[in-house]
Structures are given as C-alpha cells and as structure tokens.
C-alpha cells in the first residue's frame, strides 16, 4: 500500500447491484499515481467488478440512461459528472430508477 | 351423491351470474347510502340552530369556514402545531389528480381523502385483479373484476364522504392528459411504466403543475417532487433519455412488497399536502431513496433545472405532447408484450406438447428458481434463462444432448424467455430438435388445466 492509494466506498441500489454480483456495498482501493475521475472509475468497474451484461451499465463511456450517480449523496451533475476528481473516502452510489407502482 | 357434469356447468354459470348481480347491487346500495347520508347531513345542517327542545335557541357564530363535522373529523390536524385551521382550509380548497390506482395510488388517495382534500381525480383504465390485493389496499375481494377507479371511489367515500371524487376509467395519453390535468392543483404520479411517466411529466410542465412522483419495485422505493418552484428539475432534467427497454422491470415481472408501495404512497400524500398547503419543506430538488430490505432512507441533493431541458427550459423543444411510446420504444402499460423471436414452426403449442408427453423428451423450465417453486409442469427441470445464456446447460444436460434425436422443450411463464433460450440453444446445437411452448404456463392454465395456478 502506497500513499497514492485511494480508498472509497461503492454502493448499488434499486437493482443496480444485480450487475455487480448482487453486492450492495463494497470498499475498494484505487491504485496509481494519476488522479481518478469518475470516467476512469467506470472503466475500472467494467474491468474489475461488473459481472453481468455491461450494456445495462455502461453506454458511450458513461452510465446508461436511467442510472443516477450520486457522490456523497449529491447528484453527480452538480459535481462535474465524468470529470469529477474522486477524493479519499468518497461514497459513490449507483442507483437504477424505478418505474413500478 | 354426485352431480352430473352438465349440471355443474349450469350451477357454475348461475352462481357467477348471481354473484355479479349481488356485486352490482352492493355498488348501488353503497351509492344510495352515501346519497342518503349526504341528504341527512344537509338536513341536519339546515336544522342546526332550529329548535331541538332547547328553550332559547342560540346560534354561536362561526369563527372560520370549517363546519362542525369538519372540526370534529380533522380535530387532530387542527390542533397540530404548524397545520391548524389555515392549512386545513387550504387543503379543502385544493384538488389532486392521482394517476394510477394501484399500489401507490391506493394509500396516497386514502390519506388525501381522509385528511380532508376538497376534490380528488382518480385515473386508471384497469380492473381489480386478485393479484392486486396484497398491495392495493382499497380494493377488496368483493370488487375483483370492477374498474379500479370505481372500487377505490366507493372505498374512499366510506372514509370521507365530504370529498368530491371524480373517476376517469381511461389510460392517460397525449390526447386527454392536458385537458384532465388542468382541472387539478397537484398531480401524483402513481403509474407503473416509463411511457406514462414521461408523458405525465411533460403534461405537468406544459400546464405548470407540480408533480409528486413515487415509484416502487421489489424492496425499493423512490420519491420526489418535480417542477415545483424556480430551480426544481423536472423528470426530463434528470432523465433526458429513456432507459433501454431491456433495463426496465415492472412489478408484474420483478415483484414488489406491499408495504413498500404503502410507505412510498403514504409519503406521496404527505408531499402533496405540503405542496397544497405550503406547510413544511417538500422534496422538490431532492430524491428520497428507500431501501426497505435494509431499512435505509437516503436523501439525495438533485441538480437544478437543466438550461437545455427539452420541456422545462426557457426555450423548450416540446411545446405539446408527443408520441411517448415511440419516444421510449415501449408500451404504456405493464402488460407483458408477446415477443416474436421465433417463427411458428420453431415453436409448439400446449396441445402439441400434451401429445408428445408420452415420448421421451427433455422439458426445461427457464424461469428463476423462486418462480419454479411456485408451480411447475410434471417432469420439468429448472435451468434459469441466465444460466442457459451462460451455456451452463451444455454440462448439465450433457447426456441428453448426446442424443440428437431427443426433443428438447423449453417453457417459461408466458412464452417470451423460452424463445430467447430456444434461440440460444438452437444456435449452439443446430441439428437438435429444440422448441419452446407458445404462451408458456399461462397457455397451460387457459387451454389445458384451469386449476393450474398462474401468477
Ligand atoms: Zn426539465
């Protein structure tokens, strides 16, 4: 473990967890010298923890329509979306929108 | 003593007819009762202050617009600090449109009516089905088969006859939405599909109405208020592009816990009351997420209105309602659409399957294991679609696949997943005879055995 390791928690809710081995919350360590953006995180997730049908999570290098990304309980749109620079101990939540009633 | 079959048939028909007559009778009687009660209240109100054997008749002047009945009925809200007479009067002067009288619409309308709303509109095209009763708590065993809006209306009037209730037994669509919506102050999205959600959003923006939006699936719920105030986003600001159809699950396929829709529907009523009365702080600009399986509520700060939103920005592209089924590539109901993946000769119907049951064959049921536990055909083996697509069947059924002459039959709930499975297996084993059953277990129920449960 080096000083550059970035520890964050990833959460999945309302069905998004089904694409990630049905695990709702996990701690991950992102390694490397460079800074981590959400764009880079999505690639990492695709390569490392996405277990089911990638097209239901990623589309055109972003999340597919109908998935909201929330960083520390704030809509990622307010924080720069794909360009947001991930900070230590960030909580990043991926939530599918529901339509049933 | 046994009854001859033809007598049984007659008896069944007679009983069904009698029950239908009684049902209609019940609806009529309930209506009569409500009318009489209303007339009685009107008479009592007129006589109020007239002599009741009291020598000097003294009529105490009212200090507000609320009637004696209303003060008694809403007393716990009237003494509630922060609500009181002012909010109660606003509520009585407010109208709410509830779109969808299902798991969300039932609790939300129940609390809105009980709390003293002046006027409520109910929209739903559907009839009450037994599979609704676990979560759609206004409907009862006696109202199965009746329109949901009528079933709900009669239940709601039992709770509070002071509320005016208007029913629309129709699917809200681009042709009728604006006309209906404009007659109400606050709109509640209690629908069950993506298409109607986009349409309702656009209609509310075009008519400048706040939209209290709830949704639920399995153990999860979500809730927010759209298009309320200057910076609050609309549904499109949040979701400019509809989700791919294959990523959308409805309650009929995914299941839903009744208490989850109860929680979200009740909270929709609360948000609607807050919007109408100005009491408290609404969820406009925030999204409430409920993970009922783990008992977690989260409150998310949402983006503001998008400056390039197609409907709510200052230069909108959408100025009238569009074709939402086309826009979403989906249908505006949670009814399952029959998939047409295979040609007829690649499939068999339930009667053909009955005929071939005596010959050796392999019957694979491709539903999830929890559904396989509910009911299944004799001699079927379970391999969920997901595992079929992962080629787990190659190893599992190695012996059977070695015999190229052994027919393989695939079955599921309605005959959609079985086509996907059959197509996948045919591609891998083109010289085998692999067929799926048209209509799946539903067809078995309707054409072979009525006692076989469907869900
Ligand atoms: Zn908008």
């Amino acid at each position: 473990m080096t000083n550059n390791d970035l520890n964050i928690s990833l959460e999945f809710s309302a069905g998004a967890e089904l694409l990630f081995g049905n695990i709702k919350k996990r701690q991950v360590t992102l390694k490397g010298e460079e800074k981590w953006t959400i764009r880079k995180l999505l690639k990492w997730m695709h390569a490392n923890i996405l277990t089911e049908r990638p097209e239901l999570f990623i589309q055109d290098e972003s999340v597919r329509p109908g998935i909201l990304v929330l960083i520390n309980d704030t809509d990622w749109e307010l924080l720069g979306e794909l360009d947001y620079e991930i900070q230590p101990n960030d909580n990043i939540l991926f939530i599918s929108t529901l339509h049933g009633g | 003593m046994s009854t001859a079959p033809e007598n049984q048939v007659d008896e069944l028909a007679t009983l069904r007819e009698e029950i239908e007559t009684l049902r209609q009778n019940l609806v009529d009687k309930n209506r009569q009762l409500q009318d009489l009660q209303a007339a009685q209240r009107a008479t009592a109100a007129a006589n109020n202050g007239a002599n009741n054997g009291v020598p000097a008749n003294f009529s105490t002047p009212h200090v507000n617009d609320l009637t004696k009945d209303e003060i008694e009925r809403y007393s716990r809200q009237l003494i509630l600090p922060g609500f009181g007479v002012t909010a109660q009067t606003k509520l009585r002067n407010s109208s709410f449109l509830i779109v969808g009288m299902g798991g969300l619409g039932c609790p939300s309308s129940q609390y809105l009516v009980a709390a003293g709303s002046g006027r409520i509109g109910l929209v739903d095209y559907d009839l009450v089905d037994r599979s609704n009763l676990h979560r759609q708590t206004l409907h009862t065993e006696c109202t199965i088969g009746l329109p949901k809006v009528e079933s709900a209306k009669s239940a709601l009037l039992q709770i509070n006859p002071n509320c005016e209730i208007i029913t629309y037994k129709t699917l809200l669509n681009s042709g009728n939405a604006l006309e209906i919506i404009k007659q109400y102050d606050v709109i509640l999205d209690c629908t069950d599909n993506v298409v109607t959600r986009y349409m309702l959003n656009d209609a509310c923006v075009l008519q400048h109405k706040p939209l209290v939006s709830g949704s639920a699936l399995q153990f999860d719920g979500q809730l927010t208020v759209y298009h309320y105030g200057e910076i609050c986003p609309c549904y499109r600001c949040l979701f400019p592009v509809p989700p791919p159809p294959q990523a959308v699950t409805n309650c009929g396929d995914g299941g839903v816990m009744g208490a989850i829709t109860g929680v979200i529907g009740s909270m929709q009523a609360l948000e609607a009351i807050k919007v109408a009365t100005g009491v408290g702080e609404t969820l406009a600009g925030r999204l409430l997420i409920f993970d009922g399986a783990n008992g977690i509520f989260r409150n998310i700060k949402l983006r503001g209105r998008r400056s390039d939103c197609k409907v709510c920005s200052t230069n909108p592209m959408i100025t009238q309602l569009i074709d939402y089924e086309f826009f979403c590539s989906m249908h505006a109901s949670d009814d399952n659409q029959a998939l047409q993946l295979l040609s007829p000769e690649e499939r068999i119907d339930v009667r053909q399957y009955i005929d071939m049951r005596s010959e050796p064959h392999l019957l694979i049921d491709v539903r999830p294991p929890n559904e396989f536990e509910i009911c299944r055909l004799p001699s079927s083996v379970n391999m969920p679609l997901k595992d079929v697509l992962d080629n787990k069947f190659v190893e599992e059924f190695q012996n059977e696949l070695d015999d190229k002459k052994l027919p393989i039959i695939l079955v599921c709930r309605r005959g959609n997943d079985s086509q996907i499975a059959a197509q996948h297996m045919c591609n891998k084993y083109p010289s085998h005879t692999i067929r799926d059953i048209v209509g799946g277990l539903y067809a078995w129920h309707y054409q072979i055995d009525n006692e076989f449960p469907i869900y």
Side-chain angles (χ1 to χ4, degrees):
Chain A
M1 177 155 171
T2 73
N3 287 339
N4 293 317
D5 285 355
L6 194 55
N7 291 303
I8 60 168
S9 63
L10 297 181
E11 284 192 77
F12 303 91
S13 183
E17 69 274 14
L18 296 175
L19 304 172
F20 293 88
N22 212 4
I23 298 169
K24 283 196 161 182
K25 184 166 189 171
R26 56 174 101 208
Q27 304 295 327
V28 302
T29 302
L30 306 173
K31 296 176 188 295
E33 300 291 320
E34 289 168 57
K35 60 183 186 183
W36 280 82
T37 58
I38 297 286
R39 181 179 285 110
K40 195 168 155 191
L41 174 70
L42 292 179
K43 288 204 180 89
W44 181 89
M45 290 170 75
H46 191 176
N48 291 282
I49 57 174
L50 185 60
T51 56
E52 304 278 331
R53 308 169 71 185
E55 74 281 7
L56 292 189
F57 184 67
I58 292 192
Q59 226 174 69
D60 305 327
E61 300 212 307
S62 188
V63 292
R64 67 137 170 99
I67 290 184
L68 275 184
V69 184
L70 305 158
I71 301 161
N72 304 321
D73 286 348
T74 298
D75 188 343
W76 72 329
E77 205 257 5
L78 296 167
L79 300 168
E81 297 196 341
L82 291 168
D83 295 323
Y84 171 78
E85 188 183 334
I86 299 171
Q87 304 298 311
N89 303 316
D90 271 354
N91 173 289
I92 302 172
L93 167 64
F94 297 87
I95 184 163
S96 333
T97 51
L98 305 175
H99 311 95
Chain B
M1 191 188 103
S2 67
T3 325
E6 60 269 26
N7 287 348
Q8 273 185 5
V9 172
D10 285 351
E11 207 178 319
L12 275 173
T14 315
L15 269 174
R16 285 209 182 97
E17 238 168 67
E18 281 174 12
I19 290 171
E20 190 42 51
T21 313
L22 286 170
R23 229 179 233 165
Q24 195 49 52
N25 217 333
L26 183 69
V27 172
D28 293 344
K29 296 271 180 208
N30 262 325
R31 199 163 289 150
Q32 278 177 29
L33 177 70
Q34 279 147 15
D35 290 349
L36 272 174
Q37 282 174 337
Q40 197 180 31
R41 274 192 305 276
T43 319
N47 289 341
N48 197 10
N51 75 72
N52 286 329
V54 181
N57 158 40
F58 189 87
S59 175
T60 319
H62 284 212
V63 295
N64 55 51
D65 277 350
L66 299 174
T67 65
K68 177 165 162 286
D69 174 290
E70 287 174 320
I71 288 172
E72 286 167 6
R73 183 181 291 269
Y74 308 124
S75 56
R76 300 304 184 271
Q77 281 165 200
L78 294 171
I79 60 175
L80 178 63
F83 202 78
V85 170
T86 313
Q88 190 67 53
T89 309
K90 277 187 190 162
L91 188 56
R92 190 189 56 188
N93 296 335
S94 300
S95 55
F96 303 87
L97 182 71
I98 299 172
V99 185
M101 283 313 295
L104 299 170
C106 283
S108 55
S109 63
Q110 185 173 15
Y111 281 108
L112 283 172
V113 167
S117 307
R119 187 160 51 88
I120 304 256
L122 311 175
V123 188
D124 205 309
Y125 67 96
D126 210 359
L127 308 178
V128 178
D129 181 80
R130 181 165 280 119
S131 69
N132 300 145
L133 301 186
H134 82 112
R135 69 184 190 285
Q136 305 182 11
T137 50
L138 289 176
H139 311 309
T140 65
E141 193 67 26
C142 294
T143 62
I144 289 174
L146 294 182
K148 285 186 178 178
V149 287
E150 289 308 320
S151 166
K153 180 182 178 179
S154 93
L156 291 168
L157 286 174
Q158 302 267 333
I159 297 169
N160 189 352
N162 297 336
C163 183
E164 185 188 349
I165 297 175
I166 295 127
T167 58
Y168 305 90
K169 188 188 175 298
T170 176
L171 185 70
L172 205 67
N173 58 44
S174 299
N176 59 19
L178 294 176
E179 187 56 36
I180 295 176
I181 282 173
K182 75 174 185 201
Q183 303 167 48
Y184 296 86
D185 300 322
V186 184
I187 316 301
L188 283 78
D189 186 343
C190 301
T191 63
D192 58 7
N193 67 85
V194 182
V195 175
T196 313
R197 285 179 186 274
Y198 273 101
M199 196 267 300
L200 201 49
N201 176 72
D202 292 0
C204 284
V205 172
L206 294 177
Q207 295 283 8
H208 310 294
K209 306 285 182 181
L211 177 63
V212 180
S213 174
S215 56
L217 186 71
Q218 299 181 340
F219 283 96
D220 290 296
Q222 294 169 1
L223 173 70
T224 188
V225 179
Y226 291 119
H227 197 60
Y228 180 54
E230 282 312 301
I231 55 162
C232 172
C234 79
Y235 187 63
R236 263 187 202 273
C237 292
L238 225 48
F239 306 109
V241 180
Q246 66 272 25
V248 174
T249 311
N250 61 39
C251 294
D253 284 340
V256 64
M257 199 66 201
I260 299 288
T261 50
V263 167
I264 300 297
S266 306
M267 294 191 73
Q268 282 184 274
L270 180 62
E271 290 304 306
I273 290 171
K274 283 154 60 181
V275 168
T277 60
V279 168
E281 186 136 342
T282 70
L283 282 169
R286 291 180 292 156
L287 174 68
L288 188 85
I289 301 171
F290 178 43
D291 171 355
N294 296 299
I296 299 169
F297 278 102
R298 291 173 85 135
N299 212 309
I300 302 299
K301 185 183 190 312
L302 292 177
R303 66 195 71 174
R305 188 179 286 195
R306 280 179 81 112
S307 57
D308 61 347
C309 177
K310 286 212 169 78
V311 69
C312 81
S313 60
T314 39
N315 277 314
M317 286 170 68
I318 297 170
T319 53
Q320 55 187 3
L321 297 182
I322 58 172
D323 180 342
Y324 292 89
E325 296 201 331
F326 178 75
F327 171 67
C328 298
S329 318
M330 278 178 255
H331 288 277
S333 77
D334 77 342
D335 294 343
N336 250 50
Q337 310 297 324
L339 189 70
Q340 302 266 350
L341 202 57
L342 302 178
S343 63
E345 55 272 20
E346 294 172 293
R347 315 188 68 191
I348 58 170
D349 63 32
V350 279
R351 293 185 190 284
Q352 287 169 292
Y353 177 66
I354 283 278
D355 293 341
M356 63 176 292
R357 262 166 30 111
S358 48
E359 305 293 323
H361 69 282
L362 172 64
L363 177 64
I364 306 177
D365 187 324
V366 299
R367 293 174 299 154
N370 55 328
E371 294 185 32
F372 189 67
E373 269 180 43
I374 300 172
C375 56
R376 56 179 169 250
L377 295 183
S379 81
S380 58
V381 289
N382 189 211
M383 167 144 305
L385 177 62
K386 186 168 152 318
D387 293 346
V388 174
L389 298 179
D390 282 348
N391 291 326
K392 291 206 176 114
F393 68 97
V394 177
E395 197 181 324
E396 179 86 20
F397 303 116
Q398 201 176 4
N399 294 339
E400 288 87 346
L401 287 164
D402 281 347
D403 177 4
K404 280 190 184 174
K405 292 206 180 70
L406 184 77
I408 297 174
I409 311 298
L410 299 164
V411 67
C412 66
R413 188 177 172 193
R414 295 192 182 94
N416 286 346
D417 282 356
S418 59
Q419 288 184 69
I420 299 170
Q423 192 177 53
H424 180 81
M425 289 175 74
C426 283
N427 287 341
K428 213 159 169 61
Y429 293 92
S431 49
H432 284 64
T433 305
I434 300 169
R435 300 281 181 269
D436 87 306
I437 300 182
V438 177
L441 297 178
Y442 267 60
W444 187 265
H445 165 92
Y446 285 111
Q447 295 170 41
I448 305 295
D449 177 11
N450 262 221
E451 287 303 304
F452 187 84
I454 50 171
Y455 56 92

